[in-house]
Amino acid sequence: MKPITLQEIADTLGISVSTASKALKDYPDVSQRTKRLVKELAATLNYTPNSFAVNLRTKESMTIGLIIPEVVHHFFSSVIKGIIYQAEKKGYLVITLQSNESYELEKKQIALLMRKNVDGILISLANQTANFDHLKEVIEQDKPLVMFDKIAKVLPCSKVIINDRKAAYTATKHLVDSGCKRIAHFRGPLLPQNSIDRFLGYKKAIEDHDIQYDPSLVYICEDMSFEEGKKYAQKLYEEHKDVDGIFVNTDLVAIGAITQLKELGVKIPEDIAIVGFSNWFMSSAITPTLTTIDQPGFKMGKTAFKRLLKEMKKKKNDEKTDPKIIELETSLVKRDSTPT
Amino acid sequence: MKPITLQEIADTLGISVSTASKALKDYPDVSQRTKRLVKELAATLNYTPNSFAVNLRTKESMTIGLIIPEVVHHFFSSVIKGIIYQAEKKGYLVITLQSNESYELEKKQIALLMRKNVDGILISLANQTANFDHLKEVIEQDKPLVMFDKIAKVLPCSKVIINDRKAAYTATKHLVDSGCKRIAHFRGPLLPQNSIDRFLGYKKAIEDHDIQYDPSLVYICEDMSFEEGKKYAQKLYEEHKDVDGIFVNTDLVAIGAITQLKELGVKIPEDIAIVGFSNWFMSSAITPTLTTIDQPGFKMGKTAFKRLLKEMKKKKNDEKTDPKIIELETSLVKRDSTPT
DNA sequence: GAAAATAACGAAAACGTTTTCGTTATATTT
DNA sequence: AAATATAACGAAAACGTTTTCGTTATTTTC
């Protein structure tokens, strides 16, 4: 019932705690015979080191913290999966917290993780976060920190991202190349950098191809829901009969738009071509299948953890690491919502 | 840079570590004056207790483990959200692991969590898990354990579930009440109890209403994907022209089926009525909107943690708790895929 | 055969708290 | 004034491990 301790192993073997400990960790200054004895006894007694004591001694817990805006989200849950997968592979556990897109919560959670002495922190920012003092604090305390996807460019820490602007450019350019002359954009909220960058990519792409930028063709989706996709598709249909292409900030909204346009009798892609963003699994399921940008969530999670691990190791050796920005490749997935 | 310790506070105040500690925790045997002094200094120095030391002393870490078959899943991610939400509210952190539906991984992860000395464990079983020795071990070690959704009935621990059989009965009965005479069932894999129960509920419902059970109307979806929904809808359409209702194991498959049937020109709900299971957010988005069973994931997560917390507290007071089975209510959400 | 090297072990400090139990000094009761 | 109660503090053990540094005893070297 009571867990076995080194003390007990040492006692039954008539040796000291120190040699018992050293035997288990194959120190050179303990005889083969003793090592064998200790290891055998430990195995039969099912000994496992008390992790609390180990943590206290070694000052590390092999645990990292993860703060994410929203767990119930196809992209973020893929990232979580990647992080957990990679962490477990390397012997680390992950404490997950959800900021709910709230700055206040995010701030509290950072403090919480610092108090818990996690070995490192992974974070994707809440939309509401505009002040970064809580994160600066983390960096100043020399706690390894890696941001992913929703980042703050100004912070001196490593980041794993995609090039939203470039991807949006590619998506929009694909519409242009498909023959679209008047292209609308359903964008996300004003704050997070991602939706800004995607908007800028869109704008650059049309301007580079001699299409006049028209602000009235840009619709802002506050909560990026299916319903908003339908709503703005309806509005677009009423306000701009001449639009022949839409670049949508995210697949869910795009699918909402497609649903509505289909009901209005609009032919996709003949009348209006559509490109989404994310490559959500449903985008290959609907009719027509949705052309989109593949955003590698699982890989982003893996990469972010790998980077964090590197920084945690460096820290153990009292080495400094320079912040690194890792840009993951995205790709255009051509499907039936754009003409071949 | 170096974190502040009680020792340092005690030294600068010229008192002992013990009084410093007691002052912070409002022990009665320390003067108001000293308490004030210690608290003020602690505040200005930004003192936070070293959690590793606290863990070692108190033998608890205010951390629980969570093992879930798949993170990227609308229902499970809702449960996770509920767990994290409730746990954080009560000062607990959650270490999440993913079993990937693999028994071997699940076993390893249980061992891992036990070694980490989490205060309790929450688990939803992998489909592959048929042997429960690893969980019996947990119970024997007197570590609080609560199962949810995918449970093992034989284990003597608390469980939070829905009544799959009853819910499936309700769903199928709704089809009968809507006038369906020949009702098919797209079920899940053979192993997990949930798909068995849903099948049994379906079977009972039709038999209770004098409809002959016909095994050829039951299709097994191995991975419960959108594509399988399409595939078996196609098959059903070819093999059984007379079917006028389908109860589908999960919304995603149901939506696949609807998609395919629409393409075949089948009218929903006039020709074939459909009921799903889960109340995934997309089920209110598609056309026609999907009648389904609402499965309260977030609430299940909250409830499971609450139960675990109760058992953890009891354990601290050396009290025993009897396993309790908590059944959450489900409800039929009537939408357009069944006749009004 | 003395000096030096090596092998094997243990004592003890350290990690930072929490909590029990004494110990003083003062205040209260008879 | 003696006996008792109370208030305020500190010493020290304990949690279980890791790791440094001595200490033996044995072996090797010249």
Side-chain angles (χ1 to χ4, degrees), chain A residues 5-6 18 21 27 47 50 57:
Chain A
T5 69
L6 273 187
S18 9
S21 172
Y27 271 56
Y47 166 79
N50 179 310
R57 235 339 273 240

Side-chain angles (χ1 to χ4, degrees), chain B residues 109-126:
Chain B
Q109 290 170 342
I110 284 282
L112 190 56
L113 291 176
M114 291 299 279
R115 280 205 303 278
K116 279 277 172 177
N117 285 310
V118 291
D119 297 345
I121 296 179
L122 251 29
I123 188 173
S124 195
L125 292 183

